[in-house]
C-alpha cells in the first residue's frame, strides 16, 4: 500500500529533507514510548542516506567547496540537527526552572535518560553521515565536529548542564548531608547523577574516549569541599563536648562510613581524595590532641584505645613518630622503676629477682606493641631501644654495664644447676628462652660469655648440671645469637667431658689387666677429667700441695696410662677442683661409719690423722704444703663441724696451735659434706673475671684493627674506628678513646703507621 | 731519598746539582776524629769543630737542619756518604759555600713549613737513645723548647692568649713524663700548626685521628681556660 509509505523527500532538496527528518527526530525524542514503526524509521534513514549521496544539493549547497576532489555532503544536516538539539534543551531548561532539590534531581535524571536513549536512535539514523562526512571532518582535524551521539552529549553539556549543575549539586550535597546526619535517602538518585556527570567527560582530542574531567570538576570538587566543611564543624563540636577517647571512636566510625559511601553510590575515582580529606580533617587537624592523650592511655594501660589511636595516626603522614618517642621513654622509665624496686633492698637480691623484673617490663610492652600497635616494626624498634637502655644502664649497673650480664649468667647458672626449682623440662626451656630475650639486649656480651663459661666449667667439673639437654639447648641458643666463635669454647668443654667418660672406661679396662692383688686392695675408686687448657677458664692451683700418698699413687698410675696413649702431652693437676669421699672407721659410737665429702685439700689434711691423733699447725702445713690462706679456712671448717678439736681451745688456726681427731664426732646424717666454698674465693673469682675481660677486650680491639688494616692496607683513621666498632659491637660496645689507644699501641709496635692526611697504613 | 728535597736543593744551588766530590772528601777527611779506626766517620769532637767552622751553633735549630741535610746517624756524628751527598746536592764544596748555605737554612727553617717539618721529624730518630723506640720525655721537652720558640731559630708557639708550649710541657709533666713515641712526636708539630690557625679548636673533634695524648691535652687546655676565666 503505497499510501502508507512515508513520502521520502527529494534527495537534492535540503529544506524538504530536513522538514521530513525533523518530524521523525521529534517523535523519537519526545514520543519514543509510543514507538516508531519500522517503515518510518527506514524512511528517515534513507532520507539521510539519499541526501548525503546526492550529486548536487540545492539550497546552500553552492557554498560548499570540494575538498580533495571527494565531494561529501552533510554539513547542513549536521548543523540543523545541532540547532534542533539546542532548541530541545532550551525547552528542557525552561521546565527545570520549576523544580528544586530532590524534584530537580528526579527531573534531571528523567530528562537525561530520555535524551540519551533518543540519542542512540538518532545516532543510528545518521549513521551514513557519521561514516562519511563526520569521519572525514574529524580525519582532517576539524574541531567541534563529533559523531552524532557525541554531539548530543556536547549539546547537553553546553546547553543544559552548564546552566543547572550548581543547582543539581546543591541538591546532591543536601541529600548527602541528610544522610550524614542519619536520615535515610534515595541513594540511587545520586548514583544516576554521578553516572551522568561521568558520561559528559569527553576527551577533546579523541571523542571516542571519555575522561573524568567534568565529573571531577563539577562533582568531586564540590563534594570534597562540602565534606571538609561538614567534618570540620562536626569534629570541632564533638571534641569540645566529649573525651578524646570518645572522639577517636567517632572519627574511626566516620572514616569507615565514608569509605562505604564510595562503594554505595560514588565513583571509585573519589576514594583516595575523599579518604585524604576525611583524614586531614578528622585526624591530622586533631593529631596534637590525640597525641597528648597518648601518655594518659599508656599510664592507664588502655590497650584498646591505644590500638585505636595507633590505627588513626598510622594513616596520616608522620603521625606515629611522636608516639614512638613517647613510648620509648615510657618503657625505659618503667624498666628503670622496676630495677629500682629490686635495688631498694640493697645488693643482696637474688639474680632471679632482677632478671624477672627486666623480663616483666619487656613482656608487658611487647604484648602492647603486638596487640595495640600491630607489631609495627618501628614500635618494635622503640621497644628494643628502651629495653637496651634500661637493661644496660640502670641503678644496679651504676658501676658499669657489666653487672647485668654477670647477674644474667648467675641466674642461668642457678637454673642449670642441680637442685633448681624449675623441675619441669618444658618450664626450664621456657625460662632459657626468656634469658635469651634479656641476652639480646645486653651490650657487653663478652662479659656474659666469661661468667657463663666459668659457671659452666664448674657445673661440668662437679657434675652438677641439671641435664645435658638443657645445657646443649642453652649453648645452641647462644650460638644462634652470637655465632660459632662465641660458643666454640663452651662446646669444646662439653666435648672434653664426653671424651673423659670414654677415657675412664678404657682406663678401668687397662687397670683390670695390670693390677695385682695387693694393688687392688689399696685401690682408690677414681674418676678423671681431662680438660683442654685452651678451652677451659681454669687456672692452676694458687697454692702448693703435697697430695696424700694414696692419691699420688692413683694419679701416677693414671698418668702413665694417659701418656701411653698421648705421648708428649702435659697434665696439670687442678687440685683445687678435685674432691672425694672418705670413710671414718675411727668413730666408735655409730654402726654405719660416717662418710665425709671433702675437697682434695681437706683430704690431704684429714688423712694425716691416719698416723697421728694430734698434729701441730706446723706439722700439718709441712705435710700438705698448703698456703695459709687455703689451710686456715679449711681447718676452720673442720673445727666448726667438730671433726677436729683445736688446742688451746677457742683459738684460731695459726702457728702454735694443734689439732686432735674428735673420736666422739656426731652428726644426724651419715654423709657429711665438708666441701664448702670459702667466701673469699668467690669474691676473688669475680674480680679476676672482670680483670680478664679488660685484657681480652684489648686483644679483641687490636686483632680487629690488624685484621681490618691487613685487608685494606690503607684507610682513614675515622673509617678505621668506625669499622672496628662494627666488628666488635656484637661482643661489647667499644669506646672511641679505647680504640684510639689501641691504634696507637699498634703504631708503636710497627704493625701500622700514620700517613699524611690522617690516613693509617698497614706495615707488612 | 726525597724528590721534594732534591728539587729544593736544585733550586737553591746556583750551579744545579754538582760540586766536587774530591774537595768535599778532603774537607771530610780533615775533621775525622780517628782516621784509622773510623775512616768514613766524623765523631763528636770533629763534628763540634766542623759546626763551629761553618758558623752553626749547637743550640740552634739550624744545627738540626745541617744534621738532616747530611743525614747524621746520631747526634754529633757524620758519615762520609751523608756528608758528600748532602753538600753535593746543594753545590757547596768549600767551607765558605757551606757557611753561606747554613745561613740560608737558618733563615728558611722558621718560614718554610715543609723544611721545618722535615728537620723536626728527622730529630726524632736523631735524639733517640740507642736501642730505644721512644724519646725520653726530658729530651723531647728540650727539643720542643728549641723548635717552638723563636730564640734559636724555631717558630713561636706561645701566644698572647695561650702559652701553648709551656702548657703542653706542663700537661705532660702532670701525666708523669712518659716517653714520647714517634707518632706523638710527629703529630705535635701538626697540632702546633693547627692551633696557630685557630686557637679555639674549631678544627678539633673527639672522633678525630689525634693521638689520645693530644685529645686529652685539648680537654686540659679547655678546662684551664675555663678556670682562668673564673679567676678573672
Amino acid at each position: 500500500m503505497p499510501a502508507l509509505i512515508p513520502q521520502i523527500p527529494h534527495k537534492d532538496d535540503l529544506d524538504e529533507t530536513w522538514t521530513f527528518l525533523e518530524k521523525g527526530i521529534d517523535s523519537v525524542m519526545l514520543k519514543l514510548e509510543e514507538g516508531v514503526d519500522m517503515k518510518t524509521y527506514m524512511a528517515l534513514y534513507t532520507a539521510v542516506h539519499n541526501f548525503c549521496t546526492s550529486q548536487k544539493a540545492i539550497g546552500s549547497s553552492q557554498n560548499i567547496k570540494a575538498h580533495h576532489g571527494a565531494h561529501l555532503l552533510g554539513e547542513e544536516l549536521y548543523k540543523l540537527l545541532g540547532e534542533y538539539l539546542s532548541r530541545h534543551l532550551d525547552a528542557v531548561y525552561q521546565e527545570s526552572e520549576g523544580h528544586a532539590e530532590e524534584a530537580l534531581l528526579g527531573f534531571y535524571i528523567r530528562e537525561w535518560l530520555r535524551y540519551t536513549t533518543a540519542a542512540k536512535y538518532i545516532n543510528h539514523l545518521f549513521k551514513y553521515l557519521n561514516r562519511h562526512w563526520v569521519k572525514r571532518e574529524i580525519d582532517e582535524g576539524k574541531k567541534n565536529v563529533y559523531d552524532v551521539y557525541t554531539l548530543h552529549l556536547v549539546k547537553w553539556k553546553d546547553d543544559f548542564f552548564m546552566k543547572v549543575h550548581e543547582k543539581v549539586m546543591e541538591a546532591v550535597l543536601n541529600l548527602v548531608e541528610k544522610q550524614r546526619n542519619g536520615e535515610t535517602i534515595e541513594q540511587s538518585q545520586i548514583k544516576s547523577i554521578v553516572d551522568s556527570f561521568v558520561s559528559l567527560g569527553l576527551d577533546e582530542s579523541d571523542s571516542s574516549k571519555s575522561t573524568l574531567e567534568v565529573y571531577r570538576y563539577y562533582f568531586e570538587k564540590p563534594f570534597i569541599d562540602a565534606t571538609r566543611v561538614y567534618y570540620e564543624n562536626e569534629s570541632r563540636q564533638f571534641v569540645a563536648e566529649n573525651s578524646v577517647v570518645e572522639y577517636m571512636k567517632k572519627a574511626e566510625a566516620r572514616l569507615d562510613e565514608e569509605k562505604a559511601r564510595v562503594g554505595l553510590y560514588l565513583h571509585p575515582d573519589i576514594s583516595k581524595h575523599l579518604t585524604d580529606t576525611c583524614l586531614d580533617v578528622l585526624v591530622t587537624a586533631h593529631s596534637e590532641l590525640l597525641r597528648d592523650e597518648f601518655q594518659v592511655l599508656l599510664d592507664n594501660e588502655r590497650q584498646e584505645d591505644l590500638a585505636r589511636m595507633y590505627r588513626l595516626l598510622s594513616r596520616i603522614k608522620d603521625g606515629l613518630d611522636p608516639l614512638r618517642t613517647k613510648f620509648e621513654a615510657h618503657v625505659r622509665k618503667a624498666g628503670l622503676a622496676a630495677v629500682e624496686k629490686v635495688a631498694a633492698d640493697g645488693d643482696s637480691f637474688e639474680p632471679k629477682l632482677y632478671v624477672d623484673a627486666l623480663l616483666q617490663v619487656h613482656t608487658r610492652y611487647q604484648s602492647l606493641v603486638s596487640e595495640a600497635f600491630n607489631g609495627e616494626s618501628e614500635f618494635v624498634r622503640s621497644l628494643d631501644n628502651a629495653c637496651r637502655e634500661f637493661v644496660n644502664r640502670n641503678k644496679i649497673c651504676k658501676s658499669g654495664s657489666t653487672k647485668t650480664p654477670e647477674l644474667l649468667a648467675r641466674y642461668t647458672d642457678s637454673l642449670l644447676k642441680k637442685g633448681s626449682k624449675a623441675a619441669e623440662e618444658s618450664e626450664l626451656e621456657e625460662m632459657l628462652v626468656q634469658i635469651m630475650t634479656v641476652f639480646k639486649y645486653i651490650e657487653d656480651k663478652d662479659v656474659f660469655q666469661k661468667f657463663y663459661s666459668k659457671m659452666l666449667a664448674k657445673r661440668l667439673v662437679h657434675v652438677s648440671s641439671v641435664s645435658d639437654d638443657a645445657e646443649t639447648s642453652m649453648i645452641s641458643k647462644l650460638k644462634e645469637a652470637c655465632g660459632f666463635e662465641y660458643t666454640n669454647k663452651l662446646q669444646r668443654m662439653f666435648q672434653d667431658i664426653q671424651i673423659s667418660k670414654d677415657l675412664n672406661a678404657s682406663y678401668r679396662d687397662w687397670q683390670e689387666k695390670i693390677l695385682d692383688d695387693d694393688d687392688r686392695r689399696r685401690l682408690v675408686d677414681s674418676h678423671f677429667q681431662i680438660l683442654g687448657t685452651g678451652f677451659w677458664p681454669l687456672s692452676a692451683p694458687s697454692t702448693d700441695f703435697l697430695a696424700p700418698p694414696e692419691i699420688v699413687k692413683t694419679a701416677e698410675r693414671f698418668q702413665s696410662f694417659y701418656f701411653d696413649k698421648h705421648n708428649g702431652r702435659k697434665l696439670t693437676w687442678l687440685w683445687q677442683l678435685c674432691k672425694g669421699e672418705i670413710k671414718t672407721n675411727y668413730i666408735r659410737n655409730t654402726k654405719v661409719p660416717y662418710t665425709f665429702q671433702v675437697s682434695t685439700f681437706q683430704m690431704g689434711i684429714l688423712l694425716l690423722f691416719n698416723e697421728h691423733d694430734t698434729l701441730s699447725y706446723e706439722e700439718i702445713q709441712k705435710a700438705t704444703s698448703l698456703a695459709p690462706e687455703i689451710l686456715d679456712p679449711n681447718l676452720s671448717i673442720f673445727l666448726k663441724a667438730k671433726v677436729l678439736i683445736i688446742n688451746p681451745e677457742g683459738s684460731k688456726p695459726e702457728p702454735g696451735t694443734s689439732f686432735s681427731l674428735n673420736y666422739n664426732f656426731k652428726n644426724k646424717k651419715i654423709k657429711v659434706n665438708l666441701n664448702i666454698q670459702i667466701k673469699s674465693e668467690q669474691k676473688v673469682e669475680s674480680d679476676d673475671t672482670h680483670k680478664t675481660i679488660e685484657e681480652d677486650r684489648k686483644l679483641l680491639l687490636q686483632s680487629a684493627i690488624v685484621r681490618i688494616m691487613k685487608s685494606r692496607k690503607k684507610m682513614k683513621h675515622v673509617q678505621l674506628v668506625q669499622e672496628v666498632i662494627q666488628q666488635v659491637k656484637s661482643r661489647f660496645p667499644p669506646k672511641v678513646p679505647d680504640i684510639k689507644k689501641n691504634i696507637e699501641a699498634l703504631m708503636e709496635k710497627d704493625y701500622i703507621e700514620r700517613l699524611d692526611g690522617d690516613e693509617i697504613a698497614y706495615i707488612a | 731519598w726525597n724528590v721534594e728535597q732534591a728539587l729544593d736543593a736544585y733550586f737553591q744551588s746556583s750551579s744545579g746539582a754538582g760540586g766536587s766530590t774530591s774537595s768535599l772528601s778532603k774537607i771530610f777527611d780533615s775533621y775525622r776524629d780517628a782516621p784509622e779506626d773510623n775512616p768514613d766517620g766524623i765523631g763528636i769532637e770533629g763534628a763540634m769543630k766542623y759546626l763551629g767552622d761553618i758558623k752553626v751553633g749547637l743550640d740552634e735549630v739550624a744545627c738540626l737542619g745541617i744534621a738532616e741535610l747530611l743525614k747524621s746517624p746520631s747526634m754529633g756524628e757524620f758519615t762520609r756518604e751523608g756528608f758528600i751527598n748532602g753538600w753535593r746536592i746543594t753545590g757547596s764544596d768549600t767551607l765558605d759555600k757551606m757557611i753561606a748555605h747554613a745561613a740560608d737554612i737558618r733563615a728558611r727553617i722558621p718560614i718554610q713549613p715543609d723544611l721545618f717539618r722535615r728537620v723536626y721529624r728527622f730529630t726524632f730518630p736523631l735524639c733517640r737513645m740507642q736501642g730505644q723506640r721512644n724519646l725520653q720525655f726530658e729530651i723531647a721537652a728540650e727539643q720542643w723548647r728549641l723548635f717552638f720558640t723563636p730564640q734559636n731559630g724555631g717558630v713561636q708557639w706561645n701566644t698572647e692568649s695561650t702559652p701553648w708550649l709551656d702548657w703542653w710541657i706542663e700537661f705532660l709533666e702532670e701525666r708523669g713524663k712518659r716517653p714520647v713515641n714517634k707518632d706523638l712526636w710527629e703529630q705535635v708539630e701538626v697540632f702546633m700548626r693547627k692551633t696557630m690557625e685557630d686557637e679555639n679548636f674549631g678544627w678539633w673533634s673527639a672522633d678525630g685521628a689525634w693521638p689520645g695524648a693530644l685529645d686529652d691535652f685539648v680537654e686540659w687546655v679547655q678546662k684551664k681556660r675555663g678556670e682562668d676565666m673564673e679567676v678573672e
Side-chain angles (χ1 to χ4, degrees), chain A residues 717 740 744 748 750 754, chain B residues 133 181 183 187 210 212 215:
Chain A
H717 188 281
K740 286 173 82 166
E744 282 166 44
E748 237 175 273
D750 285 338
R754 186 195 294 266
Chain B
R133 190 176 276 282
N181 64 39
D183 186 55
Q187 292 304 308
W210 297 105
D215 283 336

Side-chain angles (χ1 to χ4, degrees), chain A residues 77-258:
Chain A
L77 281 188
Y78 185 83
K79 226 178 94 201
L80 287 165
L81 175 63
E83 284 163 13
Y84 166 80
L85 291 174
S86 292
R87 280 199 303 281
H88 167 72
L89 289 168
D90 194 49
V92 173
Y93 172 66
Q94 296 304 335
E95 202 184 337
S96 81
E97 289 281 312
H99 300 287
E101 296 299 333
E102 279 186 69
L104 175 65
L105 294 182
F107 175 77
Y108 180 99
I109 291 161
R110 263 196 320 280
E111 285 302 322
W112 168 255
L113 271 178
R114 182 222 292 274
Y115 184 77
T116 47
T117 312
K120 276 175 213 145
Y121 286 101
I122 295 166
N123 187 50
H124 195 249
L125 289 176
F126 282 78
K127 208 169 189 176
Y128 196 83
L129 187 73
N130 276 345
R131 261 197 222 143
H132 297 278
W133 184 81
V134 169
K135 184 173 182 295
R136 196 196 57 195
E137 293 292 300
I138 290 171
D139 286 349
E140 285 180 357
K142 267 265 179 70
K143 291 271 181 237
N144 304 323
V145 175
Y146 314 94
D147 67 78
V148 168
Y149 183 77
T150 309
L151 177 69
H152 279 76
L153 296 181
V154 171
K155 283 289 171 191
W156 175 275
K157 185 183 153 211
D158 292 347
D159 293 341
F160 178 62
F161 173 80
M162 291 310 287
K163 293 178 195 157
V164 298
H165 70 81
E166 275 176 17
K167 247 174 106 181
V168 169
M169 273 315 285
E170 210 180 286
V172 167
L173 294 175
N174 284 338
L175 216 52
V176 172
E177 186 167 333
K178 273 188 192 167
Q179 193 185 33
R180 282 178 177 148
N181 287 340
E183 292 176 36
T184 310
I185 61 159
E186 187 60 63
Q187 294 175 353
S188 65
Q189 278 194 325
I190 302 177
K191 174 93 179 126
S192 302
I193 296 288
V194 168
D195 290 345
S196 161
F197 278 37
V198 169
S199 303
L200 293 176
L202 299 170
D203 191 332
E204 284 297 319
S205 56
D206 181 358
S207 56
S208 64
K209 288 183 197 152
S210 64
T211 74
L212 290 171
E213 289 307 311
V214 173
Y215 161 76
R216 284 198 183 126
Y217 189 79
Y218 296 102
F219 187 95
E220 210 169 286
K221 198 169 166 297
F223 189 92
I224 295 288
D225 291 347
T227 304
R228 177 176 289 277
V229 171
Y230 181 83
Y231 286 126
E232 260 168 11
N233 291 333
E234 186 194 51
S235 65
R236 195 185 313 121
Q237 204 177 340
F238 194 91
V239 158
E241 293 164 4
N242 295 278
S243 71
V244 174
V245 168
E246 285 307 313
Y247 175 70
M248 291 197 298
K249 285 180 192 159
K250 178 87 181 166
E252 200 173 39
R254 280 306 200 186
L255 285 166
D256 289 347
E257 214 176 276
E258 291 301 323

Side-chain angles (χ1 to χ4, degrees), chain B residues 73-195:
Chain B
S74 68
M75 218 44 153
E77 270 184 61
F78 297 112
T79 64
R80 183 184 300 278
E81 192 192 355
F83 188 88
I84 291 176
N85 285 342
W87 287 125
R88 241 165 51 103
I89 294 164
T90 64
S92 317
D93 52 5
T94 65
L95 276 181
D96 283 343
K97 284 187 190 168
M98 290 172 184
I99 291 169
H101 192 79
D104 182 51
I105 287 178
R106 179 179 298 116
R108 287 192 290 129
I109 284 174
I111 55 172
Q112 287 186 352
D114 284 354
L115 177 62
F116 182 88
R117 177 166 296 178
R118 213 157 64 217
V119 174
Y120 175 86
R121 291 194 172 180
F122 187 78
T123 303
F124 184 81
L126 191 71
C127 293
R128 218 163 24 176
M129 289 294 190
Q130 206 162 21
Q132 281 191 359
R133 190 176 276 282
N134 296 331
L135 203 56
Q136 279 180 319
F137 171 76
E138 284 76 11
I139 298 175
E142 192 185 316
Q143 297 300 337
W144 278 322
R145 286 202 183 92
L146 178 63
F147 274 102
F148 298 149
T149 57
Q151 284 76 15
N152 291 301
V155 300
Q156 175 74 290
W157 195 16
N158 284 334
T159 65
E160 295 251 325
S161 68
T162 313
W164 290 101
L165 174 62
D166 301 343
W167 279 8
W168 170 239
I169 289 169
E170 186 187 335
F171 164 76
L172 290 178
E173 280 170 348
E174 268 179 29
R175 279 167 53 113
K177 304 184 181 184
R178 279 179 252 166
V180 175
N181 64 39
K182 179 163 170 280
D183 186 55
L184 180 59
W185 174 261
E186 293 184 351
Q187 292 304 308
V188 167
E189 187 263 345
V190 180
F191 183 85
M192 180 274 289
R193 296 282 180 202
K194 280 286 183 190
T195 55

Side-chain angles (χ1 to χ4, degrees), chain A residues 365-395:
Chain A
Y365 289 104
Q366 191 186 40
S367 96
L368 185 70
V369 167
S370 65
E371 300 292 322
F373 305 147
N374 198 25
E376 195 242 17
S377 63
E378 287 297 308
F379 272 101
V380 172
R381 205 219 304 254
S382 297
L383 174 70
D384 286 347
N385 286 344
C387 290
R388 194 171 308 112
E389 272 310 301
F390 75 72
V391 164
N392 290 289
R393 281 164 284 280
N394 58 42
K395 186 145 188 230

Side-chain angles (χ1 to χ4, degrees), chain A residues 554-755:
Chain A
T554 312
E556 277 172 355
R557 189 179 295 132
F558 179 78
Q559 249 168 335
S560 69
F561 158 77
Y562 189 77
F563 291 147
D564 241 18
K565 263 178 114 82
H566 304 282
N567 200 5
R569 288 199 188 165
K570 189 171 169 267
L571 289 179
T572 307
W573 293 95
L574 302 182
W575 295 119
Q576 78 275 26
L577 296 173
C578 300
K579 59 177 182 179
E581 291 182 351
I582 49 181
K583 228 176 238 176
T584 60
N585 296 317
Y586 63 95
I587 298 167
R588 288 150 207 142
N589 56 7
T590 172
K591 273 180 224 156
V592 189
Y594 288 109
T595 301
F596 291 160
Q597 296 178 306
V598 288
S599 70
T600 321
F601 295 150
Q602 291 172 330
M603 203 182 282
I605 300 166
L606 285 183
L607 288 178
L608 296 175
F609 290 88
N610 273 338
E611 315 291 330
H612 308 273
D613 280 351
T614 301
L615 284 163
S616 72
Y617 181 89
E618 290 81 359
E619 281 168 329
I620 295 175
Q621 193 178 23
K622 194 166 170 243
T624 58
S625 206
L626 284 171
E629 16 349 325
I630 302 294
L631 180 59
D632 299 358
N634 277 307
L635 286 171
S636 297
I637 290 173
F638 290 147
L639 295 176
K640 193 163 177 241
K642 299 206 166 65
V643 175
L644 297 177
I645 299 161
I646 194 166
N647 190 22
E649 210 179 315
S651 52
K652 277 186 196 153
E654 59 188 355
T657 54
S658 66
F659 303 85
S660 328
L661 205 55
N662 177 14
Y663 281 88
N664 298 315
F665 176 82
K666 256 192 200 155
N667 201 299
K668 276 181 224 149
K669 290 186 195 153
I670 296 297
K671 253 189 191 181
V672 184
N673 183 18
L674 299 169
N675 192 5
I676 306 155
Q677 203 188 18
I678 300 158
K679 271 235 174 80
S680 64
E681 279 176 18
Q682 209 166 13
K683 174 95 179 81
V684 168
E685 224 169 71
S686 175
D687 289 351
D688 279 358
T689 307
H690 281 291
K691 211 189 286 165
T692 58
I693 284 163
E694 284 309 308
E695 277 304 304
D696 285 359
R697 286 185 172 183
K698 218 158 97 185
L699 282 179
L700 202 66
L701 283 176
Q702 292 197 3
S703 62
I705 295 166
V706 171
R707 203 163 44 234
I708 293 164
M709 290 310 301
K710 204 168 176 178
S711 71
R712 298 291 203 86
K713 301 295 180 235
K714 238 192 229 180
M715 78 194 294
K716 287 268 184 198
H717 188 281
V718 198
Q719 250 180 311
L720 175 59
V721 170
Q722 283 314 312
E723 204 134 315
V724 171
I725 293 174
Q726 279 306 315
Q727 286 211 1
V728 306
K729 75 168 182 209
S730 64
R731 291 290 182 279
F732 70 97
K735 294 191 192 78
V736 175
D738 285 342
I739 298 175
K740 286 173 82 166
K741 212 179 283 168
N742 282 297
I743 290 176
E744 282 166 44
L746 287 170
M747 271 186 205
E748 237 175 273
K749 288 191 216 158
D750 285 338
Y751 279 97
I752 52 175
E753 64 180 340
R754 186 195 294 266
L755 305 176

